[in-house]
Amino acid sequence: MTGAPLSLSSIPQFDPRLMPVEGLDSLLPAVSLDRLSAAALRERFVNPPAWEPESVGDRFRLRPGPPRPAAVLVPIVAHPHGATVLLTERTAHLHDHAGQVAFPGGRTDPTDRSAVATALREAHEEIGLAPERVEILAELPHYLTGTGYQVTPVVGLVQPGFELRLDTFEVAEAFEVPLRFLMDPRHHERRRVVHGEIDRVFYAMPYRCESSRREYFIWGATAAMLRNVYRLLIA
């Protein structure tokens, strides 16, 4: 592929929060609470039913060249009061995905033996999550990002009580979102951006934390991968 890459980041002053909401999937069922317990999640991911991911990549032109392998950890924290997903907010100065909400993860190093190794290493480097605290449940289908990464999402079950140590160069904040919120399609907004050759519908899952009164805008590849998790759990 030749020419400059076309991506959402190429749109001047693009702010996904300002893109219009085209709809919500309010008619789709939420994943029931009994499927969100640690035991039920372990069974579903280890022995999944037949299912298909809803999205396997961003719908715009990629950077020239072959995709670069990467992996992210999808850390599900098994709190007794209800599971959460541990997410990060990237710092504003980074070259790729600056300021976005993301799973901990990154590109594969030559020494990484597998996608699991990449996800665990990156999570330890970015947020200080010790690999021994993560019970690996499954690898989900690859997701190809507009920035040219072929990402393997690695789902892991994390027992609460861990301490985080953020790499402040890459991570501005780490926070948790209730899994029941993310697995309810009433919170899955479909938004659209049209600019020149770009015409893209993307998912957004804005989450307002009651304790901090802050809204975290989950969108793009992170939201798409969470939507795939929903498809697996509801199958």
Side-chain angles (χ1 to χ4, degrees):
M1 183 178 295
T2 60
L6 187 64
S7 72
L8 298 185
S9 61
S10 68
I11 301 176
Q13 299 179 331
F14 171 73
D15 186 344
R17 296 171 179 82
L18 302 181
M19 298 301 103
V21 177
E22 290 210 330
L24 295 170
D25 288 331
S26 55
L27 296 181
L28 291 176
V31 178
S32 60
L33 291 180
D34 62 295
R35 291 192 178 187
L36 301 181
S37 68
L41 290 169
R42 186 180 291 111
E43 174 62 25
R44 177 55 59 112
F45 281 108
V46 174
N47 300 294
W51 74 288
E52 291 291 335
E54 184 167 321
S55 179
V56 294
D58 293 336
R59 292 180 294 278
F60 52 88
R61 288 175 59 193
L62 306 176
R63 286 175 172 166
R68 295 165 289 180
V72 296
L73 182 67
V74 183
I76 300 176
V77 186
H79 292 289
H81 59 272
T84 63
V85 176
L86 178 61
L87 293 167
T88 71
E89 184 178 70
R90 293 168 64 81
T91 51
H93 62 81
L94 295 176
H95 183 265
D96 287 332
H97 312 295
Q100 292 186 18
V101 170
F103 297 115
R107 70 178 65 188
T108 299
D109 279 354
T111 56
D112 292 336
R113 294 175 295 176
S114 64
V116 170
T118 298
L120 292 176
R121 176 184 55 75
E122 285 283 343
H124 186 246
E125 292 175 358
E126 288 185 0
I127 61 176
L129 181 62
E132 58 268 21
R133 297 199 68 97
V134 183
E135 176 190 350
I136 299 299
L137 299 183
E139 295 181 22
L140 299 184
H142 299 313
Y143 189 92
L144 192 57
T145 72
T147 48
Y149 290 100
Q150 182 169 278
V151 181
T152 302
V154 177
V155 181
L157 199 61
V158 184
Q159 295 303 318
F162 52 85
E163 293 185 9
L164 298 182
R165 184 184 66 259
L166 305 187
D167 175 356
T168 55
F169 180 82
E170 292 194 28
V171 179
E173 186 178 356
F175 61 98
E176 297 178 37
V177 180
L179 184 60
R180 66 179 182 275
F181 174 91
L182 297 169
M183 295 298 104
D184 187 339
R186 292 177 300 176
H187 304 139
H188 299 179
E189 298 176 352
R190 292 192 306 278
R191 298 192 179 215
R192 190 179 206 99
V193 56
V194 179
H195 181 85
E197 297 177 48
I198 295 176
D199 184 349
R200 181 189 172 195
V201 175
F202 61 91
Y203 278 107
M205 304 172 184
Y207 171 68
R208 185 172 179 82
C209 179
E210 292 300 324
S211 59
S212 67
R213 299 291 182 182
R214 189 178 162 196
E215 183 177 90
Y216 297 94
F217 196 77
I218 306 165
W219 73 287
T222 302
M225 286 185 268
L226 285 168
R227 178 75 173 194
N228 286 343
V229 171
Y230 166 77
R231 287 299 186 186
L232 189 158
L233 293 182
I234 203 67

